[in-house]
Amino acid sequence: MSRTGLFDSHAHMDSDYFTDDRDALLTQMQEELDGIINPGCDEITSGFAVSLAEKYDFMYAAVGWHPEDLEGILDNSYLDELAAWAVHPKVVAIGEIGLDYYWKGNEPKDVQKRRLLEQLDLAKQFDLPVIIHDRDAHGDILEIFQKEVTGVRAVFHCYSGSLEMAKELLKRGFYLGFGGTSTYKNAAKVREVLQYVPDDLLLFETDSPYLTPVPYRGKRNQPGYTELVARNAAEVRGTTFEALAAQTTKNVKTLFNKIK
Ligand SMILES: [Zn+2]
């Protein structure tokens, strides 16, 4: 594979799915991609993301507590830990954070909202963008970003909301991230949004090891498949792969402005 000029704005390379071949894969990815952002989901994975970013020039970390992992937070000292990481030169965002009302075992909605608002506040303090996870929580997410939060830059990763919600987010300058789901046959709604997003607010991602794009759906996802996402998007948007690769990599560096 040759250099694609693409950036995978969201890949969990800390995942156990990569235990056996992580270094071989990342060494290969270094030749194909301009960069990878690895978001953390709790204390251990955020720390792992930072160590990968220290090891590989083309990797960057985000640190945060995912809404599925909040039971691991014992007290507010987690914010001090995030603050200590936030000043690291390769920590480029707070994430992944958000709301997840899909899994019944998650913390109650009020706890999820409180932890999200605390982490948004921290991002604001450190002038870092945020990476937002929203699963079955579109109404509450939109309300928070319309009413409660100002001055925070954000990407809504693996966007799954409606076109109407997308319009509300885009007019506030928020970015939308698209990955494997935008290639799925039954995802006409996602493609409708993908087609609508202005060039300068579009990001690509894989969410590796999950949500593998067609034709590898069901197998392990990996950052090299950003190319499949981008080729599909070029078709949906009626443009070229090369133009989209250059544009979305520029967008990554605009939103995550610690990346030079
Ligand atoms: Zn993720």
Side-chain angles (χ1 to χ4, degrees), residues 10-12 39-41 66 96 131 133 157-158 205-211:
H10 195 115
H12 299 277
C41 296
H66 192 286
E96 103 178 63
I131 299 170
H133 170 101
H157 110 86
C158 192
E205 61 170 75
T206 60
D207 205 14
S208 296
Y210 316 108
L211 302 173

Side-chain angles (χ1 to χ4, degrees), residues 99-104 109 133-141 160-161:
L99 301 175
D100 191 312
Y101 297 165
Y102 176 79
W103 296 107
K104 298 293 165 240
K109 291 181 182 182
H133 170 101
D134 160 23
R135 188 160 188 199
D136 291 357
H138 303 320
D140 283 356
I141 282 281
S160 62

Side-chain angles (χ1 to χ4, degrees), residues 41-53:
C41 296
D42 59 12
E43 182 182 4
I44 290 175
T45 54
S46 293
F48 202 154
V50 173
S51 69
L52 286 173

Side-chain angles (χ1 to χ4, degrees), residues 3-187:
R3 187 155 279 280
T4 60
L6 290 167
F7 218 106
D8 185 351
S9 66
H10 195 115
H12 299 277
M13 300 312 295
D14 56 83
S15 160
D16 290 345
Y17 285 85
F18 297 111
T19 302
D20 292 340
D21 64 346
R22 183 177 296 109
D23 284 309
L25 186 58
L26 289 175
T27 303
Q28 185 196 335
M29 287 303 115
Q30 216 161 1
E31 302 305 313
E32 291 180 26
L33 295 172
D34 276 24
I36 298 173
I37 297 172
N38 191 132
C41 296
D42 59 12
E43 182 182 4
I44 290 175
T45 54
S46 293
F48 202 154
V50 173
S51 69
L52 286 173
E54 286 172 343
K55 186 169 179 184
Y56 293 94
D57 272 357
F58 84 128
M59 287 201 70
Y60 299 87
V63 295
W65 285 78
H66 192 286
E68 284 171 44
D69 298 295
L70 298 177
E71 74 285 352
I73 297 177
L74 302 175
D75 55 48
N76 275 2
S77 64
Y78 85 100
L79 291 167
D80 300 331
E81 200 170 17
L82 292 178
W85 273 319
V87 296
H88 189 292
K90 295 203 77 184
V91 170
V92 300
I94 299 298
E96 103 178 63
I97 60 176
L99 301 175
D100 191 312
Y101 297 165
Y102 176 79
W103 296 107
K104 298 293 165 240
N106 288 346
E107 293 289 309
K109 291 181 182 182
D110 60 318
V111 175
Q112 291 195 35
K113 283 190 211 168
R114 178 155 50 93
R115 294 310 186 195
L116 171 58
L117 289 171
E118 285 167 356
Q119 294 182 86
L120 287 171
D121 197 50
L122 183 99
K124 211 168 153 175
Q125 268 175 53
F126 287 89
D127 193 26
L128 287 173
V130 295
I131 299 170
I132 297 297
H133 170 101
D134 160 23
R135 188 160 188 199
D136 291 357
H138 303 320
D140 283 356
I141 282 281
L142 189 57
E143 193 176 304
I144 285 172
F145 280 86
Q146 275 177 323
K147 295 183 188 153
E148 300 189 41
V149 178
T150 51
V152 176
R153 295 170 291 135
V155 56
F156 293 79
H157 110 86
C158 192
Y159 184 75
S160 62
S162 66
L163 181 59
E164 289 65 39
M165 176 171 166
K167 287 178 181 172
E168 290 301 312
L169 297 172
L170 293 165
K171 80 179 181 210
R172 288 171 175 78
F174 295 124
Y175 291 70
L176 303 186
F178 293 86
T181 56
S182 63
T183 69
Y184 296 168
K185 204 172 160 193
N186 60 358

